[in-house]
Amino acid sequence: MLEATPLTDGWTLRHEGEALPAVVPGCVHTDLMAAGVIPDPFLGRNESEVAWVGRRDWTYERDLDAASAHEQTDLVFDGLDTVAEIRLDGRLLGRVRNMHRSYRFDVTGLPGRLAVRFLSAYAEAEAVRGRLGERPAAYAEPYQYVRKMACSFGWDWGPTLVTAGIWRPVRLEHWSTARIARVRPLVTVEEGGGRVELAVDVERTRVEAPLTVEAAVGGVRARAEIDGTRGRVRLQVPDARLWWPRGYGEQPLYDVELALRGGDGEVLDVWRRRTGFRSVELDTSRDSRGTGFTLVVNGERLFARGVNWIPDDVFPSRITRARYRERLTQAADAGVDLVRVWGGGIYESEDFYDVCDELGLLVWQDFPFACAAYPEEQPLRGEVEAEARENVVRLMPHPSLVLWNGNNENLWGFRDWGWEPQLAGDSWGEGYYLGVLPRVVAESDPTRPYTAGSPWSGSWRHHPNDPAHGTHHSWEVWNREDYADYRRSVPRFVAEFGWQAPPAYATLRRALPAQELAPDSPGMLHHQKADDGNGKLERGLARHFAVPERDFDRWHYLTQVNQARAIAAGIEHWRSHWPVCAGTVVWQLNDCWPVTSWAAIDGDGREKPLYHELKRLYADRLAALRRQGDKLELALVNQSGQAWTGELELRRVSVDGRVISGSGEKFTVDRRAVAVVPVPHRLCPTGPDEFLVADAWGSPRRSEAGSAGDQRALFFPAPDREIPYPRPEFDVALAPGGITVTAHTLVRDLLLQADRLDPDARADRGLVTLLPGERVTIGVRGWKTPDAALARSALYCLEPTR
């Protein structure tokens, strides 16, 4: 039986002739921090002080005892970041240049000193650029010339911290006769059950030895002979239960085990995974509106409620299974059902996909290409194909994985960002996205759809970012326009759109210790990486609010309100146009360090108001008021599997709390459907001192007095800076597990910033608008000493501007 020995202990890192303790898996930066050589680059402006680390070569060392009674011993690295020479007692075992691959070296009977020398990724990238020529990119760093996590080199939300190290586990594997080299599982759904076909590759020490494989799943067993180095075993699983996305059904998972046996029946090696049975299609058929882009799982057409995922830490070796579970559970709790793993990052670890399997989160997986023209010559071309083949097969067991995507924004960049004339015929990646990668997916994983890029209209016959065809990235709004302009079009699938806001107050206080907080303070500007980011924040704010002068707390609150409002404007509009629009993927769920960004969860894991707004926007049932010309409509969106019936109450209200007019009626919305209700003219607000309230109550109506409907929509006809809000009046009282706020006036966008009470405190809801007489209970966890007066000091809402 194959025996594995983890190599986690005894490592040192060579620094200026000194041997520092090293943690494996890990990276140079985290080891240098632990040794006190460098400060935490996340704090203040320390990032700049540690830039030299990425320019140096580094060596990890430890003693290696490869002695074993087995016939062969392999040294196996699951991940090396990125360019390295591996030597044993000075003997070269190999050279590597790809962070996204694993590596195996025969070290049978070779004890000695193991050294893994990492060359600077900058040096490698610049050498490749020198040989292959310049290629354009969105950023000045040379990330497109090396197969490494691109955002290590910095992004418009990330620091420039170019890492090196043994970033994934390393071990010795001792084996005899044969071992399992690769298992390619094809999991499909057939009438009456499921089917698992396991294509097995083996490596041998004895060519003539007879070998068999035995597989088991769901109580079904099968056996097959190995012919040379390959075999195939098939299993039919009758009455297999279907795996569904969250909100559509359950997520049953099945253990799959494959054993490799020798001629005497001895088990030589075992491969184990979990999988689930489901079908997935991507409907890109043409219609009168253009070219669709709709995911279909188990025959059910979905509106994808998505978020974009970036690496959760600039130092990915620090991301544990528990951290993946925490962050992805936050996503699921917000109503998310699709996570797009963005192409400037990595193929995540098994832990990520395991958690998605369990939570029912669909995974859209980008291949690691983003915002640059990538050379297609060697040495990159061979590395790209090798990494793609390895990772496609590695991730195939996971039912959560439903889509392979060739790249992020590179097809769009070629057409719109001035690349084509700069390239003058040089390769730029098209051969990967339209050639190599679809071929690898078709050959290795025909059970899943592939799309060439995001955005991508499906062919060069249309502009790559044409909203009428395929996927669309909506960035004109954030960069140049008001978020109300999201409502001007109905793309077929919005794969990226977003709006910035700063992180939580406690996150800023930790990241910028002893600094005065101001939007333009040196520390705040260092933790704002977007081009003219603060300018865009201020211009976006000024369209709706009076921008506060020299009041950081108010600026902090209003920018977070504006972020939530912007995303709401897009999602409400696009969801109300299902099935023409079949999904929204918010940029972005998470951050990799403390920074002003588009994230809903900041770099310390704290939820911004946007996170809580997503709970409303991505709920199965949503009410949204929208202007159509000079008329108002209420869209009732029902993404649940049952019809939605109830009572609808519409009220035209003045900002001082008077109900001017109202009406009520019953409604029914079919499952997975949208119903549009015209708003009578007499209920439409006539000026900035009026607004419309729509409450949809489920049937039977179950609600306490003083609370909103099951779904509430509000329509204010003017920007907030023009609305004569009353001075807000409300009472605050402690409640079991939180506080209760009772409004005596209109209280718009009330927010409890719980981290101002205690850095560990979290509120269970974000922005809420209360009419006079209404109340809300806000749960708070992690608050060590509850106090009503203190809670009032952490409550923010909109106030009169004059």
Side-chain angles (χ1 to χ4, degrees):
M1 178 73 172
L2 182 146
E3 297 176 2
T5 305
L7 301 179
T8 54
D9 301 325
W11 289 93
T12 59
L13 173 65
R14 286 285 172 187
H15 172 65
E16 296 183 347
E18 183 182 359
L20 304 177
V23 173
V24 172
C27 76
V28 171
H29 288 80
T30 52
D31 288 332
L32 294 177
M33 278 191 282
V37 175
I38 63 171
D40 186 342
F42 287 9
L43 303 184
R45 290 182 283 174
N46 291 343
E47 173 202 354
S48 300
E49 295 182 21
V50 305
W52 59 271
V53 175
R55 293 283 183 179
R56 299 282 183 87
D57 297 346
W58 302 93
T59 300
Y60 283 81
E61 294 182 342
R62 64 157 285 163
D63 290 328
L64 187 70
D65 182 3
S68 170
H70 283 280
E71 295 172 351
Q72 183 158 327
T73 297
D74 292 338
L75 174 63
V76 183
F77 294 94
D78 285 342
L80 293 168
D81 176 17
T82 293
V83 184
E85 294 179 348
I86 300 93
R87 294 181 182 271
L88 188 57
D89 267 357
R91 173 187 173 184
L92 180 66
L93 298 179
R95 294 186 175 92
V96 303
R97 60 194 334 147
N98 193 328
M99 180 182 184
H100 306 301
R101 293 179 61 186
S102 63
Y103 299 95
R104 177 180 294 267
F105 304 100
D106 184 351
V107 294
T108 306
L110 295 176
R113 189 70 173 169
L114 176 63
V116 184
R117 179 172 177 254
F118 289 94
L119 285 69
S120 166
Y122 275 115
E124 167 75 4
E126 289 161 359
V128 172
R129 178 171 59 188
R131 293 198 302 274
L132 302 183
E134 291 282 350
R135 299 295 197 282
Y139 303 99
E141 299 282 304
Y143 56 91
Q144 71 269 46
Y145 303 99
V146 60
R147 295 308 297 155
K148 175 176 173 57
M149 184 174 86
C151 62
S152 290
F153 292 88
W155 221 259
D156 57 4
W157 37 258
T160 302
L161 294 167
V162 179
T163 52
I166 305 171
W167 77 290
R168 280 183 167 162
V170 55
R171 63 192 173 277
L172 289 175
E173 289 189 357
H174 312 280
W175 55 281
S176 298
T177 307
R179 71 171 187 89
I180 298 171
R182 188 179 80 153
V183 178
R184 187 170 64 90
L186 292 171
V187 182
T188 54
V189 175
E190 298 182 351
E191 190 168 341
R195 175 185 170 95
V196 179
E197 180 178 308
L198 303 173
V200 187
D201 295 342
V202 302
E203 182 182 356
R204 292 172 172 266
T205 60
R206 288 181 248 162
V207 175
E208 74 285 352
L211 300 174
T212 59
V213 285
E214 294 181 357
V217 57
V220 178
R221 294 183 175 275
R223 179 177 177 276
E225 303 290 332
I226 294 291
D227 182 9
T229 59
R230 293 186 174 180
R232 190 177 299 268
V233 59
R234 299 175 177 86
L235 303 98
Q236 299 289 142
V237 184
D239 302 318
R241 298 169 60 213
L242 292 179
W243 183 97
W244 287 93
R246 63 167 302 282
Y248 289 81
E250 297 181 346
Q251 294 80 43
L253 296 169
Y254 290 78
D255 292 321
V256 183
E257 181 174 299
L258 182 139
L260 175 66
R261 293 182 181 270
D264 58 359
E266 176 191 5
V267 175
L268 303 174
D269 197 359
V270 175
W271 178 90
R272 296 183 180 92
R273 296 291 188 277
R274 285 189 313 172
T275 195
F277 294 96
R278 57 99 188 95
S279 66
V280 59
E281 302 168 70
L282 181 63
D283 184 356
T284 57
S285 56
R286 292 184 60 84
D287 56 29
S288 62
R289 301 289 294 267
T291 308
F293 193 93
T294 304
L295 282 166
V296 184
V297 178
N298 298 330
E300 188 80 63
R301 301 174 67 82
L302 312 181
F303 181 98
R305 292 168 277 189
V307 288
N308 282 276
W309 170 276
I310 66 171
D312 205 50
D313 198 317
V314 171
F315 309 126
S317 58
R318 297 199 298 197
I319 308 173
T320 62
R321 187 179 183 90
R323 182 161 160 184
Y324 277 127
R325 182 170 295 280
E326 177 187 7
R327 199 69 69 244
L328 291 167
T329 298
Q330 286 175 302
D333 289 347
V336 169
D337 59 21
L338 180 141
V339 178
R340 177 190 171 208
V341 181
W342 167 75
I346 57 177
Y347 306 94
E348 296 287 345
S349 79
E350 294 293 333
D351 293 333
F352 174 92
Y353 305 94
D354 284 345
V355 174
C356 290
D357 291 343
E358 295 164 10
L359 295 177
L361 291 171
L362 302 174
V363 177
W364 159 335
Q365 177 70 52
D366 281 13
F367 286 98
F369 300 90
C371 300
Y374 284 77
E376 297 176 40
E377 293 81 9
Q378 299 295 3
L380 293 173
R381 188 178 184 87
E383 291 292 344
V384 166
E385 180 154 355
E387 82 177 46
R389 290 194 179 278
E390 176 177 340
N391 285 284
V392 166
V393 171
R394 177 173 71 90
L395 301 180
M396 282 175 65
H398 296 283
S400 56
L401 178 58
V402 295
L403 183 66
W404 292 105
N405 177 53
N407 74 88
N408 176 74
E409 297 190 343
N410 294 343
L411 296 160
W412 181 21
F414 178 76
R415 178 55 51 88
D416 264 7
W417 300 351
W419 293 2
E420 191 168 3
Q422 292 180 56
L423 288 163
D426 285 344
S427 67
W428 57 274
E430 183 182 27
Y432 296 144
Y433 320 134
L434 300 179
V436 173
L437 297 176
R439 174 169 52 82
V440 168
V441 172
E443 291 172 358
S444 299
D445 185 15
T447 67
R448 288 179 178 85
Y450 170 87
T451 185
S454 185
W456 180 234
S457 59
S459 81
W460 288 114
R461 291 192 301 272
H462 307 288
H463 187 282
N465 200 28
D466 187 334
H469 300 276
T471 49
H472 177 69
H473 289 195
S474 180
W475 284 116
E476 281 298 300
V477 167
W478 158 251
N479 286 315
R480 280 169 278 277
E481 300 170 356
D482 181 28
Y483 60 69
D485 289 345
Y486 283 135
R487 304 185 183 104
R488 295 175 60 182
S489 67
V490 183
R492 305 310 301 266
F493 193 105
V494 188
E496 279 190 23
F497 74 109
W499 199 271
Q500 274 200 348
Y505 180 80
T507 299
L508 288 172
R509 283 269 59 114
R510 186 191 71 81
L512 304 173
Q515 291 192 25
E516 179 182 356
L517 294 180
D520 58 353
S521 67
M524 284 292 294
L525 290 177
H526 187 82
H527 289 251
Q528 163 64 278
K529 296 295 186 178
D531 181 34
D532 191 30
N534 271 21
K536 292 170 184 175
L537 274 178
E538 184 160 333
R539 290 190 292 276
L541 199 60
R543 293 184 178 105
H544 298 271
F545 301 100
V547 179
E549 296 183 9
R550 295 180 295 279
D551 185 344
F552 177 81
D553 291 346
R554 199 75 193 157
W555 175 87
H556 180 263
Y557 161 73
L558 288 176
T559 52
Q560 294 201 328
V561 170
N562 223 34
Q563 181 188 39
R565 294 264 197 94
I567 299 307
I571 294 179
E572 287 180 342
H573 174 66
W574 295 321
R575 278 194 74 181
S576 73
H577 284 86
W578 161 260
V580 176
C581 180
T584 56
V585 188
V586 176
W587 187 271
Q588 65 216 65
L589 174 69
N590 58 327
D591 268 327
C592 62
W593 78 313
V595 65
T596 296
S597 84
W598 299 264
I601 302 169
D602 75 19
D604 282 6
R606 294 185 175 93
E607 298 99 349
K608 297 183 188 179
L610 170 59
Y611 171 82
H612 296 284
E613 184 70 353
L614 286 177
K615 292 182 179 180
R616 179 183 73 86
L617 296 168
Y618 276 166
D620 280 350
R621 293 167 176 172
L622 173 69
L625 285 161
R626 65 192 193 193
R627 193 194 296 272
Q628 294 293 107
D630 60 351
K631 298 179 181 179
L632 282 179
E633 296 177 343
L634 175 67
L636 295 172
V637 182
N638 179 25
Q639 204 165 344
S640 74
Q642 295 79 40
W644 181 17
T645 61
E647 300 174 36
L648 181 63
E649 183 179 14
L650 297 174
R651 286 175 287 168
R652 179 178 157 204
V653 184
S654 68
V655 293
D656 63 10
R658 287 183 304 109
V659 177
I660 300 169
S661 58
S663 70
E665 61 182 274
K666 296 186 181 298
F667 70 87
T668 297
V669 188
D670 291 339
R671 67 184 294 274
R672 321 281 193 220
V674 178
V676 176
V677 179
V679 175
H681 181 72
R682 65 184 178 83
L683 297 180
C684 295
T686 58
D689 58 347
E690 298 177 1
F691 62 100
L692 180 62
V693 182
D695 281 309
W697 309 86
S699 182
R701 179 167 168 168
R702 295 187 299 272
S703 179
E704 59 178 328
S707 64
D710 298 334
Q711 290 292 328
R712 167 172 281 184
L714 301 171
F715 176 80
F716 288 79
D720 293 81
R721 64 176 185 270
E722 299 177 11
I723 297 174
Y725 288 119
R727 187 155 302 280
E729 297 179 9
F730 53 84
D731 295 330
V732 181
L734 294 178
I739 62 170
T740 295
V741 179
T742 303
H744 302 298
T745 64
L746 171 65
V747 179
R748 191 171 186 201
D749 285 331
L750 180 73
L751 175 68
L752 175 65
Q753 295 192 29
D755 59 292
R756 290 177 179 264
L757 305 174
D758 186 304
D760 294 329
R762 301 286 193 276
D764 67 357
R765 65 188 307 157
L767 301 167
V768 60
T769 293
L770 301 175
L771 306 184
E774 292 184 341
R775 62 178 175 268
V776 64
T777 297
I778 304 172
V780 184
R781 56 184 173 84
W783 189 13
K784 299 179 182 66
T785 310
D787 178 88
L790 183 61
R792 178 177 280 275
S793 72
L795 283 165
Y796 289 74
C797 64
L798 297 187
E799 297 178 350
T801 57
R802 56 183 181 273

